[in-house]
Amino acid sequence: MTSALFYSWGFLPFLFPAGWALNLRAKGLDAAESWHNLSHLENASYAPPPHAHHYQFVATTTRYGTNPQTACGLDSGALVQGTGYLAVASAQAMQNGCCRCNRNGGGGATAAMGCGACGKGRFIRQLPRGFKIWTSASEPIFQKEYKFVVVDICPHSNNRMWCPKHAGQTNDFGVHNHFDFATVPANFDNYYFEFTPEPCNHEMQSRLARMSKCHLNR
């Protein structure tokens, strides 16, 4: 999620005096708590998130890359290679715990998407912070339906802005769900994503059962 966080940290010196971080530490707040507090100061100007129109849920998104050993006990890049699936980490609230080999959690507006869960969805041409979008609405990223599979977890402790901890909670953008994408389509940015869970196809089920150390037999 480096790209998603870089902008926010980059403009801190222009918003806060040099002693701001030191003052927070003096009050007993660690770095994660300081960032969480700052995010709530920032989000007062965030536009409301979009509603799902063609699918069941809406999620915020970030990007982090593939990992040869994920919390779901597999190599995320190898799992999806040649399948057409995108690999994602789902928010802790969407799983039934933290942090290894978790199954479906969620409930209500929080989708149940644990290790090995699959879904389909489309990217929405809107960014959580309201930045200008340079990618044309006609580009495939906004026209194509994508299939995805959960290969990892986005733990709340290190990702408080994006990833809720418990079902029913929202992130700083007012959204219950979040996907941190390990593999992405061309022109990806932190666009909202509307989606619906669905069974994995036969090939993906076979790969999950064969490649995961978490005994995923979906």
Side-chain angles (χ1 to χ4, degrees):
M1 283 185 246
T2 303
S3 62
L5 299 178
F6 176 79
Y7 181 88
S8 296
W9 281 112
F11 66 59
L12 287 179
F14 301 99
L15 296 180
F16 297 94
W20 175 80
L22 294 176
N23 290 337
L24 285 175
R25 285 195 290 270
K27 293 178 181 179
L29 297 176
D30 61 21
E33 290 173 324
S34 300
W35 170 249
H36 187 57
N37 289 344
L38 170 62
S39 70
H40 284 290
L41 292 176
E42 287 183 302
N43 69 12
S45 61
Y46 294 153
H51 296 290
H53 293 291
H54 306 290
Y55 298 86
Q56 188 175 359
F57 300 98
V58 168
T60 49
T61 68
T62 46
R63 175 183 184 174
Y64 76 112
T66 56
N67 191 325
Q69 188 57 247
T70 71
C72 296
L74 50 78
D75 182 328
S76 54
L79 178 73
V80 299
Q81 186 174 12
T83 65
Y85 276 82
L86 299 177
V88 304
S90 61
Q92 183 175 335
M94 302 167 76
Q95 303 194 16
N96 67 351
C98 186
C99 286
R100 288 191 59 80
C101 298
N102 301 302
R103 300 307 175 93
N104 290 348
T110 303
M113 300 292 293
C115 287
C118 290
K120 61 183 178 181
R122 293 178 183 268
F123 288 96
I124 299 172
R125 194 172 178 269
Q126 181 178 333
L127 293 168
R129 294 188 179 95
F131 298 153
K132 180 177 176 61
I133 298 173
W134 299 96
T135 303
S136 169
S138 64
E139 290 295 326
I141 189 170
F142 302 122
Q143 301 298 321
K144 180 180 177 180
E145 179 178 86
Y146 293 93
K147 291 184 178 293
F148 64 93
V149 57
V150 176
V151 300
D152 211 342
I153 189 171
C154 181
H156 173 74
S157 60
N158 297 325
N159 305 279
R160 297 185 182 191
M161 170 176 274
W162 299 100
C163 298
K165 185 175 184 179
H166 299 295
Q169 295 179 342
T170 61
N171 60 23
D172 284 1
F173 304 99
V175 179
H176 292 84
N177 305 286
H178 181 79
F179 291 126
D180 197 6
F181 280 75
T183 55
V184 297
N187 296 309
F188 175 85
D189 203 339
N190 301 128
Y191 301 119
Y192 287 101
F193 185 73
E194 59 175 329
F195 68 98
T196 298
E198 68 170 8
C200 303
N201 66 21
H202 178 75
E203 172 62 20
M204 183 54 66
Q205 290 180 37
S206 176
R207 290 190 179 206
L208 287 165
R210 184 174 71 253
M211 298 174 67
S212 176
K213 297 178 182 177
C214 293
H215 308 290
L216 302 177
N217 298 309
R218 295 179 183 276

